[in-house]
Amino acid sequence: MIKQEQMAARPEELGIDAASLEKLLARARREVDDGTLPGCQIAIARHGKVAALRTFGLARHGGVDQPASDQTLYGIFSCTKAFVAAAVWKLIEDGQLRIEERVAEIIPEFGSNGKGGLTVEQVMLHIGGFPYAPFQPDHWEDREKRLEQFSKWRLTWEPNSRFEYHPPAAHWVLAEIIERRSGGDFRQFIRREILDPLELSEMFIGLPEDKQGRVADVFYVSEPVPPPGGWAQVTPEAILGLNHPTVRKIGIPGGGGVTGAGELALFYQALVHGGQASNGKRILKAETIAYATKVRTLDHHRDALWNVPINRGLSICVAGGDGFSHYRGFGKGTSPLAFGHGGAGGQIAWGDPESGISLGFCTNGFSDFVSQGRRITALSSLAAQCAA
């Protein structure tokens, strides 16, 4: 739950149109009222503060359903990637990392089986060619096993020849890069350099034991099938595995974050305001954020499902001005500069530097892909209309 001082007394104080805001909140609630989702939480922010935070429906804990509240925490899946990205951006800003560096020069164990030429940038853009690299749960907590797996991985296709989402593998590599260059645990680095300065005390990559009872377990409200579009290893078994406390405690860098919608919205507030939070603390320079959120993928780097350019910055998605922003999770109405990263269950997290609006949306229900897409487009579009 975010702090009271991080909330605006009235949405209008932040230049949020009241009527448009009510439409946004009503659309989120409709998902629960219609039975599409068991529960959800939504937050919209501007000028460094949250304008509105609402929670609807039920949370399931240990098989028991109970009313969700603003204190409920949710798994955010791949929205986690943006927090890991921000930590990598910090290393770049501080001169501790260059995206042109070969990963094998930082992690020698990675360089075998033809991977020696891969760059940090290619890993961050998901164009490295190892989307199916196996990574079993019993490797996650053991660094030696992780490094052993790195050495065994092989390329599926030529790096830079295409885009294919690397759901778990790429961000375990980035986590190791953070550890090699920072000299400490990647989770602690993210906490110290990103989360604590922003006062995001309830954003967790590695969930403490005393918070486990507040997390809404995820479950499928439609047939449990992998999402379309070639998301390797995003299986129903992997999704449901994140309900286990031991897995939440690990803090999987590609999808194991746990937080609330307010924290997501506030994180992006700092990013759209040049790296500075409303408390005056700065996590990144404006030029670093502009560098990181520049579209770096090329026209042949296309989404496998929709066949549109993927528009990727450094571990972040960018809306773009080509008319396809709604295929990228930004709805219709955000500026071309809007950036963020969604999650496998239809979680939403983005910020728009032009309007200053940021949106966070969490849910514990996995619905079919079509329902997810409609919901994401509708909520993001309505959020973009809230700027008065």
Side-chain angles (χ1 to χ4, degrees):
M1 178 64 179
I2 61 175
K3 300 176 181 178
Q4 189 61 42
E5 56 266 30
Q6 294 171 310
M7 291 280 301
R10 297 170 55 252
E12 292 83 358
E13 294 176 0
L14 305 179
I16 295 291
D17 178 72
S20 298
L21 175 60
E22 286 306 312
K23 291 179 181 178
L24 171 66
L25 299 177
R27 181 62 179 81
R29 179 164 193 156
R30 194 180 92 187
E31 294 288 321
V32 174
D33 291 345
D34 289 352
T36 305
L37 293 176
C40 66
Q41 189 177 91
I42 188 168
I44 186 170
R46 199 180 189 202
H47 298 311
K49 291 191 175 185
V50 172
L53 170 65
R54 298 286 190 278
T55 307
F56 307 109
L58 300 173
R60 179 172 294 179
H61 302 281
V64 178
D65 290 338
Q66 55 188 271
S69 73
D70 291 349
Q71 286 73 44
T72 301
L73 299 173
Y74 296 84
I76 59 171
F77 298 93
S78 285
C79 296
T80 311
K81 289 179 168 68
F83 293 89
V84 176
V88 177
W89 303 350
K90 180 65 174 173
L91 292 174
I92 294 169
E93 178 176 291
D94 292 345
Q96 295 179 273
L97 181 68
R98 293 178 296 105
I99 62 173
E100 299 86 4
E101 288 186 79
R102 294 182 179 183
V103 175
E105 294 173 350
I106 306 168
I107 311 171
E109 296 88 341
F110 182 82
S112 59
N113 297 324
K115 304 190 302 295
L118 265 69
T119 66
V120 174
E121 181 181 36
Q122 288 172 333
V123 172
M124 298 188 81
L125 297 179
H126 298 267
I127 59 174
F130 57 102
Y132 304 102
F135 216 43
Q136 302 304 317
D138 61 349
H139 300 152
W140 294 341
E141 282 193 286
D142 190 321
R143 189 180 188 189
E144 291 305 314
K145 287 185 178 180
R146 297 202 304 261
L147 295 176
E148 183 180 348
Q149 285 301 300
F150 288 177
S151 68
K152 293 179 178 179
W153 289 349
R154 297 179 180 275
L155 297 178
T156 303
W157 36 263
E158 183 69 22
N160 197 42
S161 65
R162 58 186 291 188
F163 168 89
E164 191 168 357
Y165 199 40
H166 295 48
H171 278 67
W172 276 116
V173 174
L174 295 179
E176 183 65 24
I177 289 173
I178 293 171
E179 295 195 347
R180 299 274 174 134
R181 289 297 164 88
S182 71
D185 185 274
F186 77 94
R187 291 153 288 210
Q188 295 175 6
F189 184 80
I190 295 169
R191 171 63 58 191
R192 182 179 71 247
E193 300 293 335
I194 306 298
L195 302 178
D196 282 350
L198 300 182
E199 298 183 34
L200 300 181
S201 60
E202 295 210 319
M203 164 58 199
F204 303 101
I205 301 178
L207 188 69
E209 183 65 34
D210 62 351
K211 305 292 183 182
Q212 295 280 353
R214 290 175 51 199
V215 185
D217 289 345
V218 298
F219 57 95
Y220 281 83
V221 293
S222 61
E223 184 181 359
V225 296
W231 287 18
Q233 302 180 36
V234 184
T235 64
E237 292 77 17
I239 295 297
L240 296 176
L242 290 168
N243 285 335
H244 295 292
T246 53
V247 176
R248 292 173 180 159
K249 185 179 179 180
I250 292 169
I252 300 167
V258 174
T259 192
E263 283 78 7
L264 289 176
L266 285 173
F267 171 65
Y268 281 95
Q269 275 301 292
L271 296 183
V272 301
H273 286 96
Q276 184 170 314
S278 60
N279 62 10
K281 295 182 180 179
R282 181 178 295 279
I283 58 169
L284 293 162
K285 296 177 181 177
E287 51 265 39
T288 301
I289 297 170
Y291 174 84
T293 59
K294 170 187 173 183
V295 176
R296 296 173 178 275
T297 45
L298 305 175
D299 184 71
H300 70 276
H301 297 136
R302 290 180 168 251
D303 180 273
L305 182 62
W306 306 112
N307 193 33
V308 299
I310 198 67
N311 268 38
R312 288 267 174 169
L314 298 178
S315 287
I316 207 80
C317 306
V318 185
D322 57 1
F324 296 125
S325 62
H326 57 295
Y327 288 104
R328 303 178 183 120
F330 299 94
K332 300 177 180 180
T334 54
S335 81
L337 298 177
F339 59 86
H341 207 300
Q347 295 78 19
I348 307 171
W350 56 255
D352 188 341
E354 189 170 295
S355 69
I357 282 178
S358 60
L359 179 67
F361 178 84
C362 304
T363 180
N364 55 338
F366 268 63
S367 56
D368 65 275
F369 187 72
V370 173
S371 296
Q372 277 191 36
R374 289 173 177 168
R375 178 172 67 248
I376 293 168
T377 298
L379 292 176
S380 292
S381 301
L382 289 168
Q385 297 170 17
C386 285

